[in-house]
Amino acid sequence: MLEELGHATVTNGEGGKKLYTITAEGQAFLAANKAAVDAVFARIAETGAAHGGGQSPQLIRAIENFKLALRLRLARGPLSEEQIRTIVAAIDNAAGEVERS
């Protein structure tokens, strides 16, 4: 998206990784939106300080709980097509909620 907007260029780096470089248009956009950018970084710093600089314990617990539930269910045996669709839909819904947060 940044490339499409003209805010960054993309080149191939080591190991096939993409290397992004900000463009003059991207720098101008950041300058024009400095207040919003500063607010985002302040919120990140505030959240980090609230959790001792590490990840939220509640978030870690929820991630580990999800991984365990999925491993336990997969260990019980093969899944039907309906079960696969249900699990995939739940994961996709959760991913969407995370993206929107």
Side-chain angles (χ1 to χ4, degrees):
M1 181 176 132
L2 292 173
E3 188 176 19
E4 290 174 11
L5 292 171
H7 294 171
T9 58
V10 181
T11 57
N12 290 324
E14 282 186 37
K17 292 184 180 181
K18 293 181 179 181
L19 177 63
Y20 291 85
T21 305
I22 193 166
T23 63
E25 292 86 0
Q27 289 176 336
F29 181 83
L30 281 177
N33 292 281
K34 185 175 182 346
V37 172
D38 289 346
V40 168
F41 280 113
R43 186 172 175 196
I44 290 169
E46 181 182 305
T47 301
H51 297 290
Q55 289 187 346
S56 158
Q58 298 92 336
L59 183 59
I60 294 169
R61 183 213 43 84
I63 291 168
E64 294 302 321
N65 187 36
F66 173 74
K67 290 182 342 186
L68 178 60
L70 192 54
R71 274 196 307 270
L72 290 173
R73 175 56 194 97
L74 294 174
R76 287 195 337 233
L79 298 168
S80 69
E81 287 299 318
E82 182 179 344
Q83 290 169 318
I84 291 170
R85 281 191 298 276
T86 299
I87 292 170
V88 167
I91 293 170
D92 285 343
N93 287 336
E97 290 297 320
V98 169
E99 288 173 358
R100 286 185 288 278
S101 68

Coordinates of all heavy atoms in Angstrom, one line a residue:
M1 N 0.8 -1.2 0.0 CA 0.0 0.0 0.0 C 0.9 1.3 0.0 O 0.6 2.2 -0.7 CB -0.9 0.0 1.2 CG -1.8 1.2 1.3 SD -2.9 1.0 2.7 CE -2.8 2.6 3.4
L2 N 1.9 1.2 0.8 CA 2.8 2.4 0.8 C 3.4 2.7 -0.5 O 3.6 3.8 -0.9 CB 3.9 2.2 1.9 CG 3.4 2.2 3.3 CD1 4.6 1.9 4.3 CD2 2.9 3.6 3.7
E3 N 3.8 1.6 -1.2 CA 4.3 1.7 -2.6 C 3.3 2.3 -3.5 O 3.6 3.2 -4.3 CB 4.8 0.4 -3.1 CG 5.6 0.4 -4.3 CD 6.2 -0.9 -4.7 OE1 5.7 -1.9 -4.3 OE2 7.1 -0.9 -5.6
E4 N 2.1 1.8 -3.4 CA 1.0 2.3 -4.3 C 0.7 3.8 -4.1 O 0.4 4.5 -5.0 CB -0.3 1.5 -4.1 CG -0.2 0.0 -4.6 CD -1.4 -0.8 -4.2 OE1 -2.4 -0.2 -3.7 OE2 -1.4 -2.0 -4.3
L5 N 0.8 4.2 -2.8 CA 0.6 5.6 -2.5 C 1.8 6.5 -2.9 O 1.7 7.7 -2.8 CB 0.3 5.8 -1.0 CG -1.0 5.2 -0.5 CD1 -1.1 5.2 1.0 CD2 -2.2 5.9 -1.1
G6 N 2.9 5.9 -3.2 CA 4.1 6.6 -3.6 C 4.9 7.1 -2.3 O 5.8 7.9 -2.4
H7 N 4.6 6.5 -1.2 CA 5.3 6.8 0.1 C 6.5 6.0 0.3 O 7.3 6.4 1.2 CB 4.3 6.7 1.2 CG 3.2 7.7 1.2 ND1 2.2 7.6 2.1 CD2 2.9 8.7 0.4 CE1 1.3 8.5 1.8 NE2 1.8 9.3 0.8
A8 N 6.7 4.9 -0.4 CA 7.9 4.1 -0.3 C 8.2 3.4 -1.6 O 7.4 3.2 -2.4 CB 7.6 3.0 0.8
T9 N 9.5 3.0 -1.7 CA 9.9 2.2 -2.8 C 10.4 0.8 -2.2 O 10.8 0.7 -1.1 CB 11.1 2.8 -3.6 OG1 12.2 3.0 -2.7 CG2 10.6 4.1 -4.3
V10 N 10.3 -0.2 -3.0 CA 10.7 -1.6 -2.6 C 11.8 -2.1 -3.5 O 11.6 -2.1 -4.7 CB 9.4 -2.5 -2.6 CG1 9.8 -3.9 -2.1 CG2 8.3 -1.9 -1.8
T11 N 12.8 -2.7 -2.8 CA 13.8 -3.4 -3.5 C 14.0 -4.7 -2.8 O 13.6 -4.9 -1.7 CB 15.2 -2.6 -3.6 OG1 15.6 -2.3 -2.2 CG2 15.0 -1.3 -4.4
N12 N 14.7 -5.7 -3.5 CA 15.0 -7.0 -2.9 C 16.3 -6.9 -2.2 O 17.3 -6.4 -2.7 CB 15.1 -8.0 -4.0 CG 13.7 -8.4 -4.6 OD1 12.7 -8.3 -3.9 ND2 13.7 -8.6 -5.9
G13 N 16.2 -7.3 -0.9 CA 17.4 -7.3 -0.1 C 18.0 -8.7 0.1 O 17.7 -9.6 -0.8
E14 N 18.7 -8.9 1.1 CA 19.3 -10.2 1.4 C 18.3 -11.3 1.6 O 17.3 -11.1 2.2 CB 20.2 -10.2 2.6 CG 21.6 -9.5 2.3 CD 22.5 -9.6 3.6 OE1 22.4 -10.7 4.3 OE2 23.2 -8.7 3.8
G15 N 18.5 -12.5 1.1 CA 17.6 -13.6 1.3 C 16.2 -13.4 0.7 O 15.3 -14.0 1.2
G16 N 16.1 -12.6 -0.3 CA 14.8 -12.3 -0.9 C 13.9 -11.5 0.0 O 12.7 -11.3 -0.4
K17 N 14.4 -10.9 1.1 CA 13.6 -10.0 1.9 C 13.4 -8.7 1.2 O 14.3 -8.2 0.5 CB 14.2 -9.8 3.2 CG 14.2 -11.0 4.1 CD 14.8 -10.7 5.5 CE 14.8 -11.9 6.3 NZ 15.3 -11.7 7.7
K18 N 12.2 -8.1 1.4 CA 12.0 -6.8 0.7 C 12.6 -5.7 1.6 O 12.5 -5.7 2.8 CB 10.5 -6.6 0.6 CG 9.8 -7.5 -0.4 CD 8.3 -7.2 -0.5 CE 7.7 -8.1 -1.5 NZ 6.3 -7.8 -1.7
L19 N 13.2 -4.7 0.9 CA 13.7 -3.6 1.6 C 12.9 -2.3 1.2 O 12.9 -2.0 0.0 CB 15.2 -3.4 1.2 CG 16.0 -2.2 1.8 CD1 16.0 -2.3 3.3 CD2 17.4 -2.1 1.2
Y20 N 12.3 -1.7 2.2 CA 11.5 -0.5 1.9 C 12.3 0.8 2.2 O 13.0 0.9 3.2 CB 10.2 -0.5 2.8 CG 9.3 -1.6 2.4 CD1 9.4 -2.9 2.9 CD2 8.2 -1.3 1.5 CE1 8.5 -3.9 2.5 CE2 7.3 -2.3 1.1 CZ 7.5 -3.6 1.6 OH 6.6 -4.6 1.3
T21 N 12.2 1.8 1.3 CA 12.8 3.0 1.5 C 11.7 4.1 1.4 O 11.0 4.1 0.4 CB 13.9 3.2 0.4 OG1 14.8 2.1 0.5 CG2 14.7 4.5 0.7
I22 N 11.7 5.1 2.3 CA 10.7 6.1 2.3 C 11.1 7.1 1.1 O 12.3 7.3 0.8 CB 10.7 6.9 3.6 CG1 9.4 7.8 3.6 CG2 11.9 7.6 3.9 CD1 9.1 8.3 5.0
T23 N 10.1 7.6 0.4 CA 10.2 8.5 -0.7 C 10.1 9.9 -0.1 O 9.6 10.1 1.0 CB 9.2 8.3 -1.8 OG1 7.9 8.5 -1.2 CG2 9.3 6.9 -2.4
A24 N 10.3 10.9 -1.0 CA 10.1 12.3 -0.6 C 8.6 12.5 -0.3 O 8.3 13.3 0.6 CB 10.6 13.2 -1.7
E25 N 7.7 11.9 -1.1 CA 6.3 12.0 -0.8 C 5.9 11.4 0.5 O 5.1 11.9 1.3 CB 5.5 11.3 -1.9 CG 5.6 12.0 -3.3 CD 6.8 11.5 -4.1 OE1 7.6 10.7 -3.6 OE2 6.9 12.0 -5.2
G26 N 6.6 10.3 0.9 CA 6.4 9.7 2.2 C 6.8 10.5 3.3 O 6.1 10.7 4.3
Q27 N 8.0 11.2 3.2 CA 8.5 12.1 4.2 C 7.5 13.3 4.3 O 7.3 13.7 5.5 CB 9.9 12.5 3.8 CG 10.9 11.4 4.0 CD 12.3 11.8 3.5 OE1 12.5 12.7 2.7 NE2 13.3 11.1 4.1
A28 N 7.0 13.8 3.2 CA 6.1 14.9 3.3 C 4.8 14.5 4.0 O 4.3 15.3 4.8 CB 5.8 15.4 1.9
F29 N 4.3 13.3 3.7 CA 3.1 12.8 4.4 C 3.3 12.7 5.9 O 2.5 13.1 6.7 CB 2.7 11.5 3.8 CG 1.4 10.9 4.4 CD1 0.2 11.4 3.9 CD2 1.5 10.0 5.4 CE1 -1.0 10.9 4.5 CE2 0.3 9.5 6.0 CZ -0.9 9.9 5.5
L30 N 4.5 12.1 6.3 CA 4.8 12.0 7.7 C 4.9 13.4 8.4 O 4.3 13.6 9.5 CB 6.1 11.3 7.9 CG 6.0 9.8 7.8 CD1 7.4 9.2 8.0 CD2 5.1 9.1 8.8
A31 N 5.5 14.3 7.7 CA 5.6 15.7 8.3 C 4.2 16.3 8.4 O 4.0 17.0 9.4 CB 6.5 16.5 7.4
A32 N 3.4 16.1 7.4 CA 2.0 16.7 7.4 C 1.2 16.1 8.5 O 0.2 16.7 9.0 CB 1.4 16.6 6.1
N33 N 1.5 14.8 8.9 CA 0.7 14.1 9.9 C 1.5 13.9 11.2 O 1.3 12.9 11.9 CB 0.3 12.8 9.3 CG -0.8 13.0 8.2 OD1 -1.9 13.2 8.5 ND2 -0.3 13.0 7.0
K34 N 2.5 14.8 11.5 CA 3.3 14.6 12.6 C 2.6 14.4 13.9 O 3.0 13.6 14.7 CB 4.3 15.8 12.7 CG 5.4 15.6 13.8 CD 6.3 16.7 13.8 CE 7.4 16.6 14.8 NZ 7.3 15.7 15.9
A35 N 1.5 15.2 14.1 CA 0.8 15.1 15.4 C 0.2 13.7 15.6 O 0.3 13.1 16.7 CB -0.3 16.1 15.4
A36 N -0.3 13.1 14.5 CA -0.9 11.8 14.6 C 0.2 10.7 14.8 O 0.0 9.8 15.6 CB -1.7 11.4 13.3
V37 N 1.3 10.9 14.1 CA 2.4 9.9 14.3 C 2.9 10.0 15.7 O 3.2 9.0 16.4 CB 3.5 10.2 13.3 CG1 4.8 9.4 13.6 CG2 3.0 10.0 11.8
D38 N 3.1 11.2 16.2 CA 3.6 11.4 17.6 C 2.6 10.8 18.6 O 3.0 10.1 19.6 CB 3.8 12.9 17.9 CG 5.0 13.5 17.2 OD1 5.8 12.7 16.7 OD2 5.1 14.7 17.2
A39 N 1.3 10.9 18.4 CA 0.3 10.3 19.2 C 0.4 8.8 19.2 O 0.3 8.2 20.3 CB -1.1 10.8 18.8
V40 N 0.6 8.2 18.1 CA 0.7 6.7 18.0 C 1.9 6.3 18.8 O 1.9 5.3 19.6 CB 0.8 6.3 16.5 CG1 1.3 4.8 16.4 CG2 -0.5 6.5 15.8
F41 N 3.1 6.9 18.6 CA 4.3 6.5 19.3 C 4.1 6.7 20.8 O 4.6 5.9 21.6 CB 5.5 7.2 18.8 CG 6.1 6.6 17.5 CD1 6.0 7.3 16.3 CD2 6.6 5.3 17.5 CE1 6.5 6.7 15.1 CE2 7.1 4.7 16.4 CZ 7.0 5.4 15.2
A42 N 3.5 7.8 21.2 CA 3.2 8.0 22.6 C 2.3 6.9 23.2 O 2.6 6.5 24.3 CB 2.5 9.4 22.8
R43 N 1.3 6.5 22.5 CA 0.5 5.4 22.9 C 1.2 4.1 23.1 O 1.0 3.4 24.0 CB -0.7 5.3 22.0 CG -1.8 4.3 22.5 CD -3.0 4.3 21.6 NE -3.9 3.3 22.0 CZ -4.9 2.8 21.3 NH1 -5.2 3.4 20.2 NH2 -5.7 1.9 21.8
I44 N 2.1 3.8 22.1 CA 2.9 2.6 22.2 C 3.8 2.7 23.4 O 3.9 1.7 24.1 CB 3.8 2.5 20.9 CG1 2.9 2.1 19.7 CG2 4.8 1.4 21.0 CD1 3.5 2.2 18.3
A45 N 4.5 3.8 23.6 CA 5.3 4.0 24.8 C 4.5 3.8 26.1 O 5.0 3.1 27.1 CB 6.0 5.3 24.8
E46 N 3.3 4.4 26.2 CA 2.5 4.3 27.3 C 2.1 2.8 27.6 O 2.1 2.4 28.8 CB 1.3 5.2 27.1 CG 0.3 5.2 28.3 CD -0.9 6.0 28.0 OE1 -0.7 7.2 27.6 OE2 -2.0 5.5 28.1
T47 N 1.7 2.1 26.6 CA 1.3 0.7 26.7 C 2.5 -0.1 27.2 O 2.4 -1.0 28.1 CB 0.8 0.2 25.4 OG1 -0.4 1.0 25.1 CG2 0.3 -1.3 25.6
G48 N 3.7 0.1 26.6 CA 4.9 -0.6 27.0 C 5.2 -0.3 28.4 O 5.6 -1.3 29.2
A49 N 5.1 0.9 28.9 CA 5.4 1.2 30.3 C 4.5 0.6 31.2 O 4.8 0.1 32.3 CB 5.4 2.7 30.5
A50 N 3.2 0.5 30.8 CA 2.2 -0.1 31.7 C 2.4 -1.6 31.8 O 2.0 -2.2 32.8 CB 0.8 0.1 31.1
H51 N 3.1 -2.2 30.9 CA 3.4 -3.7 31.0 C 4.8 -4.0 31.2 O 5.3 -5.0 30.8 CB 2.9 -4.4 29.7 CG 1.4 -4.2 29.5 ND1 0.5 -4.9 30.3 CD2 0.7 -3.5 28.6 CE1 -0.7 -4.6 29.9 NE2 -0.7 -3.7 28.9
G52 N 5.5 -3.0 31.9 CA 6.9 -3.3 32.2 C 7.8 -3.4 31.0 O 8.9 -4.0 31.0
G53 N 7.4 -2.8 29.8 CA 8.2 -2.9 28.6 C 8.0 -4.1 27.9 O 8.5 -4.3 26.8
G54 N 7.3 -5.1 28.4 CA 7.1 -6.4 27.7 C 5.6 -6.5 27.2 O 4.8 -5.6 27.3
Q55 N 5.3 -7.6 26.7 CA 4.0 -7.9 26.2 C 3.0 -8.0 27.4 O 3.4 -8.5 28.5 CB 3.9 -9.1 25.3 CG 4.6 -8.9 24.0 CD 4.4 -10.2 23.1 OE1 3.9 -11.2 23.5 NE2 4.7 -10.0 21.8
S56 N 1.8 -7.7 27.1 CA 0.7 -7.9 28.1 C 0.6 -9.4 28.5 O 0.5 -10.2 27.7 CB -0.6 -7.4 27.5 OG -1.7 -8.0 28.1
P57 N 0.6 -9.6 29.8 CA 0.4 -11.0 30.3 C -0.9 -11.6 29.8 O -0.9 -12.8 29.5 CB 0.5 -10.9 31.8 CG 1.1 -9.6 32.1 CD 0.8 -8.7 30.9
Q58 N -1.9 -10.8 29.7 CA -3.2 -11.3 29.3 C -3.1 -11.8 27.8 O -3.7 -12.8 27.4 CB -4.3 -10.3 29.4 CG -4.6 -9.8 30.8 CD -3.8 -8.6 31.2 OE1 -2.7 -8.3 30.6 NE2 -4.2 -7.9 32.2
L59 N -2.4 -11.0 27.0 CA -2.2 -11.3 25.6 C -1.4 -12.6 25.4 O -1.8 -13.5 24.7 CB -1.6 -10.2 24.9 CG -1.4 -10.3 23.4 CD1 -2.7 -10.5 22.7 CD2 -0.7 -9.1 22.8
I60 N -0.4 -12.8 26.2 CA 0.4 -14.0 26.1 C -0.4 -15.2 26.5 O -0.4 -16.2 25.9 CB 1.7 -13.8 27.0 CG1 2.6 -12.8 26.4 CG2 2.4 -15.2 27.2 CD1 3.7 -12.4 27.4
R61 N -1.2 -15.0 27.6 CA -2.0 -16.1 28.1 C -3.0 -16.5 27.0 O -3.2 -17.7 26.7 CB -2.8 -15.8 29.4 CG -3.6 -16.9 29.9 CD -4.9 -16.5 30.6 NE -5.7 -15.4 30.0 CZ -6.6 -15.6 29.0 NH1 -6.8 -16.8 28.5 NH2 -7.2 -14.6 28.5
A62 N -3.7 -15.6 26.4 CA -4.7 -15.8 25.3 C -4.0 -16.5 24.1 O -4.6 -17.5 23.6 CB -5.4 -14.6 24.9
I63 N -2.9 -16.1 23.7 CA -2.2 -16.7 22.6 C -1.8 -18.2 22.9 O -2.1 -19.1 22.1 CB -0.9 -15.9 22.2 CG1 -1.3 -14.6 21.6 CG2 0.0 -16.7 21.2 CD1 -0.1 -13.6 21.5
E64 N -1.3 -18.4 24.1 CA -0.9 -19.8 24.5 C -2.1 -20.7 24.6 O -2.1 -21.8 24.3 CB -0.1 -19.7 25.8 CG 1.3 -19.0 25.6 CD 2.2 -19.7 24.5 OE1 2.2 -20.9 24.4 OE2 2.8 -18.9 23.8
N65 N -3.2 -20.1 25.2 CA -4.4 -20.9 25.3 C -5.0 -21.3 24.0 O -5.4 -22.4 23.8 CB -5.5 -20.0 26.1 CG -6.7 -20.8 26.4 OD1 -6.7 -22.0 26.7 ND2 -7.9 -20.1 26.3
F66 N -4.9 -20.4 23.0 CA -5.4 -20.7 21.6 C -4.5 -21.8 21.0 O -5.0 -22.8 20.4 CB -5.4 -19.5 20.7 CG -5.7 -19.8 19.3 CD1 -7.0 -20.1 18.9 CD2 -4.7 -19.8 18.4 CE1 -7.2 -20.4 17.6 CE2 -4.9 -20.1 17.1 CZ -6.2 -20.4 16.7
K67 N -3.2 -21.7 21.1 CA -2.3 -22.7 20.5 C -2.5 -24.0 21.2 O -2.6 -25.0 20.5 CB -0.8 -22.2 20.7 CG -0.5 -21.0 19.9 CD 1.0 -20.6 19.9 CE 1.8 -20.9 21.0 NZ 3.1 -20.3 21.0
L68 N -2.7 -24.1 22.5 CA -3.0 -25.3 23.2 C -4.3 -26.0 22.7 O -4.4 -27.2 22.4 CB -3.0 -25.1 24.7 CG -3.2 -26.4 25.5 CD1 -2.2 -27.5 25.2 CD2 -3.3 -26.1 27.0
A69 N -5.4 -25.1 22.6 CA -6.7 -25.7 22.2 C -6.6 -26.2 20.8 O -7.1 -27.3 20.5 CB -7.7 -24.5 22.3
L70 N -5.9 -25.6 19.9 CA -5.8 -26.1 18.6 C -5.0 -27.4 18.5 O -5.3 -28.3 17.9 CB -5.1 -25.0 17.7 CG -5.2 -25.2 16.2 CD1 -6.6 -25.4 15.7 CD2 -4.6 -24.0 15.5
R71 N -3.8 -27.4 19.3 CA -3.0 -28.6 19.3 C -3.8 -29.8 19.8 O -3.8 -30.9 19.3 CB -1.8 -28.4 20.1 CG -0.6 -27.8 19.4 CD 0.7 -28.0 20.1 NE 0.7 -27.5 21.5 CZ 1.0 -26.2 21.8 NH1 1.3 -25.3 20.9 NH2 1.0 -25.9 23.1
L72 N -4.5 -29.6 20.9 CA -5.3 -30.6 21.5 C -6.4 -31.1 20.6 O -6.6 -32.3 20.5 CB -5.9 -30.2 22.9 CG -5.0 -30.0 24.0 CD1 -5.7 -29.3 25.2 CD2 -4.3 -31.3 24.4
R73 N -7.1 -30.2 19.9 CA -8.1 -30.6 19.0 C -7.5 -31.4 17.8 O -8.1 -32.5 17.4 CB -8.9 -29.4 18.5 CG -10.0 -29.8 17.4 CD -10.9 -30.9 18.0 NE -11.7 -31.5 16.9 CZ -11.4 -32.6 16.3 NH1 -10.3 -33.3 16.6 NH2 -12.2 -33.1 15.4
L74 N -6.4 -31.0 17.3 CA -5.8 -31.7 16.1 C -5.3 -33.0 16.6 O -5.3 -34.0 15.8 CB -4.7 -30.8 15.5 CG -5.2 -29.5 14.8 CD1 -4.0 -28.7 14.4 CD2 -6.1 -29.8 13.7
A75 N -4.9 -33.2 17.8 CA -4.4 -34.5 18.3 C -5.5 -35.5 18.5 O -5.2 -36.7 18.5 CB -3.6 -34.3 19.6
R76 N -6.7 -35.1 18.6 CA -7.8 -36.0 18.8 C -8.2 -36.8 17.5 O -8.9 -37.7 17.6 CB -9.1 -35.2 19.2 CG -9.0 -34.8 20.6 CD -10.3 -34.4 21.2 NE -11.4 -34.0 20.3 CZ -12.0 -32.8 20.4 NH1 -11.8 -31.9 21.3 NH2 -13.0 -32.5 19.5
G77 N -7.6 -36.4 16.4 CA -7.9 -37.1 15.2 C -8.3 -36.3 14.0 O -8.4 -35.0 14.1
P78 N -8.6 -36.9 12.9 CA -8.9 -36.1 11.7 C -10.1 -35.3 11.8 O -11.0 -35.6 12.6 CB -9.2 -37.2 10.6 CG -8.6 -38.5 11.2 CD -8.6 -38.3 12.7
L79 N -10.2 -34.2 11.1 CA -11.3 -33.3 11.1 C -12.1 -33.5 9.8 O -11.6 -33.7 8.8 CB -10.8 -31.8 11.1 CG -9.9 -31.4 12.3 CD1 -9.2 -30.1 12.0 CD2 -10.8 -31.3 13.5
S80 N -13.4 -33.3 10.0 CA -14.3 -33.4 8.9 C -14.2 -32.0 8.1 O -13.7 -31.0 8.7 CB -15.8 -33.6 9.3 OG -16.3 -32.4 10.0
E81 N -14.7 -32.0 6.9 CA -14.7 -30.7 6.2 C -15.5 -29.6 6.9 O -15.0 -28.5 6.9 CB -15.3 -30.9 4.8 CG -14.4 -31.7 3.8 CD -13.1 -31.0 3.6 OE1 -13.1 -29.7 3.4 OE2 -12.1 -31.7 3.6
E82 N -16.6 -30.0 7.5 CA -17.4 -29.0 8.3 C -16.6 -28.5 9.5 O -16.6 -27.2 9.8 CB -18.7 -29.6 8.8 CG -19.5 -28.6 9.5 CD -20.9 -29.2 10.0 OE1 -21.3 -30.3 9.5 OE2 -21.5 -28.6 10.8
Q83 N -15.9 -29.3 10.2 CA -15.1 -28.9 11.3 C -13.9 -28.0 10.9 O -13.6 -27.0 11.5 CB -14.5 -30.1 12.1 CG -15.5 -30.9 12.8 CD -15.0 -32.3 13.3 OE1 -14.3 -33.0 12.6 NE2 -15.3 -32.6 14.5
I84 N -13.3 -28.3 9.7 CA -12.2 -27.5 9.2 C -12.8 -26.1 8.9 O -12.2 -25.1 9.2 CB -11.6 -28.2 7.9 CG1 -10.8 -29.4 8.4 CG2 -10.7 -27.2 7.2 CD1 -10.4 -30.3 7.2
R85 N -13.9 -26.1 8.2 CA -14.5 -24.8 7.9 C -14.8 -24.0 9.1 O -14.6 -22.8 9.2 CB -15.8 -25.0 7.0 CG -15.6 -25.3 5.6 CD -16.8 -25.2 4.7 NE -17.9 -26.1 5.1 CZ -17.9 -27.4 4.7 NH1 -17.0 -27.8 3.9 NH2 -18.9 -28.2 5.1
T86 N -15.3 -24.6 10.2 CA -15.7 -23.9 11.4 C -14.4 -23.3 12.1 O -14.4 -22.2 12.5 CB -16.4 -24.9 12.4 OG1 -17.6 -25.3 11.8 CG2 -16.7 -24.2 13.7
I87 N -13.3 -24.1 12.1 CA -12.1 -23.7 12.7 C -11.5 -22.6 11.9 O -11.0 -21.6 12.5 CB -11.1 -24.9 12.9 CG1 -11.7 -25.8 14.0 CG2 -9.7 -24.4 13.3 CD1 -10.9 -27.1 14.1
V88 N -11.5 -22.7 10.6 CA -10.9 -21.7 9.7 C -11.7 -20.4 9.9 O -11.1 -19.3 10.0 CB -10.8 -22.2 8.3 CG1 -10.5 -21.0 7.3 CG2 -9.8 -23.3 8.1
A89 N -13.0 -20.5 9.9 CA -13.8 -19.3 10.1 C -13.5 -18.6 11.4 O -13.4 -17.4 11.5 CB -15.3 -19.6 10.0
A90 N -13.3 -19.4 12.5 CA -13.1 -18.8 13.8 C -11.7 -18.1 13.8 O -11.5 -17.0 14.3 CB -13.1 -19.9 14.9
I91 N -10.7 -18.7 13.2 CA -9.4 -18.1 13.1 C -9.4 -16.9 12.2 O -8.8 -15.8 12.6 CB -8.3 -19.1 12.5 CG1 -8.1 -20.3 13.6 CG2 -7.0 -18.5 12.2 CD1 -7.3 -21.4 13.0
D92 N -10.1 -16.9 11.1 CA -10.2 -15.7 10.2 C -10.9 -14.6 10.9 O -10.5 -13.4 10.8 CB -10.9 -16.1 8.9 CG -10.0 -16.9 7.9 OD1 -8.8 -16.9 8.1 OD2 -10.6 -17.5 7.0
N93 N -12.0 -14.9 11.7 CA -12.7 -13.9 12.4 C -11.8 -13.2 13.5 O -11.8 -12.0 13.6 CB -14.0 -14.5 13.0 CG -15.1 -14.7 12.0 OD1 -15.1 -14.2 11.0 ND2 -15.9 -15.6 12.4
A94 N -11.1 -14.1 14.2 CA -10.2 -13.6 15.2 C -9.1 -12.7 14.6 O -8.8 -11.6 15.1 CB -9.5 -14.7 16.0
A95 N -8.5 -13.1 13.4 CA -7.5 -12.3 12.8 C -8.1 -10.9 12.3 O -7.4 -9.9 12.5 CB -7.0 -13.1 11.6
G96 N -9.3 -11.0 11.9 CA -9.9 -9.7 11.5 C -10.1 -8.8 12.7 O -9.9 -7.6 12.5
E97 N -10.5 -9.3 13.8 CA -10.7 -8.5 15.0 C -9.4 -7.9 15.4 O -9.3 -6.7 15.8 CB -11.3 -9.3 16.1 CG -12.8 -9.7 15.9 CD -13.7 -8.5 15.8 OE1 -13.5 -7.5 16.6 OE2 -14.6 -8.5 15.0
V98 N -8.3 -8.7 15.4 CA -7.0 -8.2 15.7 C -6.6 -7.1 14.8 O -6.1 -6.0 15.3 CB -5.9 -9.3 15.8 CG1 -4.5 -8.8 15.9 CG2 -6.3 -10.3 16.9
E99 N -6.8 -7.3 13.5 CA -6.4 -6.2 12.6 C -7.2 -4.9 12.8 O -6.6 -3.9 12.6 CB -6.7 -6.7 11.1 CG -5.7 -7.8 10.7 CD -6.0 -8.4 9.3 OE1 -7.1 -8.0 8.8 OE2 -5.3 -9.2 8.8
R100 N -8.4 -5.0 13.2 CA -9.2 -3.8 13.4 C -9.0 -3.2 14.8 O -9.4 -2.1 15.0 CB -10.7 -4.2 13.3 CG -11.2 -4.5 11.9 CD -12.7 -4.7 11.8 NE -13.1 -6.0 12.4 CZ -13.1 -7.1 11.7 NH1 -12.6 -7.2 10.5 NH2 -13.5 -8.2 12.3
S101 N -8.2 -3.8 15.6 CA -8.0 -3.2 17.0 C -7.0 -2.1 17.0 O -6.3 -1.9 16.0 CB -7.6 -4.3 18.0 OG -6.3 -4.8 17.6

